[in-house]
Amino acid sequence: MKVKISSVLISTQERLLGYITEMSYGYAQLCVKADPSSLLSFEERIEEKKYKMEEMARIVVHDKEGDDDKIDLYPIEPAFITLLITGMMKAHPEFHVSVETDEDAEPGDDSPQLKFVRLTMPKVTKERRDFLLSAVDMLDNRCKMRHGEMKVKYSAELTKVCIGEPPAAIDEATSTMDKLMSHYDEMRRQMTDKKKEEIENAYQRYLYEKTKEEGVNRDDKGNKIGSTIKV
């Protein structure tokens, strides 16, 4: 395959992957369970220097089933704890932020060195589920639209650079382009389906917990069975 054809195909792949990566970042910010990727938007300044999360804290993610909605931030310096709190309130105001004491601390020991910040993901209520699913659809549609635009643009470029090439070379280039589009479209669909499933599972867990608390039965929309549904 000639360099000019390969160049178009490589550019196509890079753009398709770029849009998939952008969508993945967006999904990571729609927090349902603890995910360190959600901290990528964190940024704080100290004397005009920007710091990312990994420069200010050690990150511990709770990943056990039933307790996978928490992230603990252990500040590298005790003085960072306030900045971690303010920074997370800007990056993810929906998180519940609390200051906790290390479980190994002696009773009554209130040393700053033993403090850490705990981030708890918000419960996926019906309202939050609807918001999250709407956001997922928006990100998915945007990625799908951009992939379509890239197909039109780079297919046209491929046609130009293939002028004068043997039919076999043109068929190979066209086939490779189609495979690239199909591969990244399938990747987009799988990521979207996985995110929606994650949201739905969290919502069902919320309903289950609420049912236990209230001691009532609910349907899959969160309505009390036997109660009047308001339209």
Side-chain angles (χ1 to χ4, degrees):
M1 191 177 291
K2 289 191 173 182
V3 172
K4 59 183 180 180
I5 296 177
S6 296
S7 179
V8 173
L9 293 173
I10 290 171
S11 295
T12 302
Q13 183 175 25
E14 289 175 345
R15 293 299 295 272
L16 292 172
L17 179 58
Y19 290 136
I20 284 287
T21 302
E22 182 181 283
M23 186 182 75
S24 176
Y25 174 82
Y27 284 172
Q29 307 314 304
L30 301 175
C31 302
V32 173
K33 59 182 181 180
D35 182 350
S37 299
S38 65
L39 306 180
L40 291 173
S41 57
F42 174 93
E43 184 178 273
E44 275 297 292
R45 287 178 176 270
I46 301 178
E47 297 179 352
E48 301 306 314
K49 182 179 177 180
K50 293 180 180 179
Y51 287 83
K52 302 300 287 184
M53 178 60 74
E54 61 271 18
E55 298 174 295
M56 301 189 72
R58 178 170 61 89
I59 303 167
V60 176
V61 177
H62 294 232
D63 55 7
K64 290 184 179 180
E65 187 175 355
D67 188 40
D68 57 358
D69 62 342
K70 300 177 183 65
I71 300 177
D72 293 338
L73 309 176
Y74 291 85
I76 295 173
E77 299 289 343
F80 286 171
I81 199 161
T82 300
L83 293 172
L84 291 172
I85 294 170
T86 56
M88 285 311 307
M89 290 178 70
K90 288 185 289 185
H92 283 285
E94 75 276 19
F95 286 4
H96 174 68
V97 182
S98 61
V99 177
E100 308 290 338
T101 302
D102 194 293
E103 60 181 12
D104 295 328
E106 295 292 333
D109 190 343
D110 202 37
S111 302
Q113 291 83 358
L114 299 173
K115 301 294 183 182
F116 66 93
V117 176
R118 171 161 290 172
L119 310 174
T120 304
M121 307 302 107
K123 299 290 186 183
V124 180
T125 62
K126 183 180 184 306
E127 291 75 17
R128 182 161 177 76
R129 181 189 69 163
D130 292 346
F131 164 77
L132 291 171
L133 291 176
S134 177
V136 167
D137 285 339
M138 181 193 72
L139 292 168
D140 178 67
N141 288 333
R142 184 169 66 182
C143 184
K144 183 178 181 180
M145 179 187 69
R146 287 175 170 174
H147 278 192
E149 292 171 348
M150 287 303 97
K151 182 176 183 179
V152 172
K153 175 181 177 180
Y154 285 107
S155 292
E157 289 191 17
L158 190 64
T159 299
K160 290 179 183 178
V161 299
C162 282
I163 293 175
E165 296 296 326
I170 296 174
D171 289 344
E172 181 184 1
T174 302
S175 175
T176 302
M177 173 71 78
D178 290 341
K179 287 178 182 177
L180 282 174
M181 293 302 307
S182 178
H183 171 73
Y184 285 101
D185 191 51
E186 180 62 24
M187 185 182 295
R188 174 190 60 79
R189 285 198 296 266
Q190 288 181 4
M191 290 174 61
T192 296
D193 289 345
K194 182 179 178 181
K195 189 64 182 181
K196 287 186 174 182
E197 182 180 8
E198 181 183 275
I199 293 167
E200 185 60 31
N201 288 342
Y203 176 59
Q204 293 301 323
R205 185 164 62 243
Y206 164 77
L207 292 179
Y208 176 73
E209 291 172 353
K210 197 168 184 62
T211 296
K212 287 201 303 181
E213 290 175 2
E214 297 181 352
V216 298
N217 294 321
R218 293 176 178 270
D219 63 20
D220 59 1
K221 293 183 179 180
N223 302 303
K224 294 180 181 179
I225 295 176
S227 64
T228 302
I229 302 175
K230 296 181 179 180
V231 179

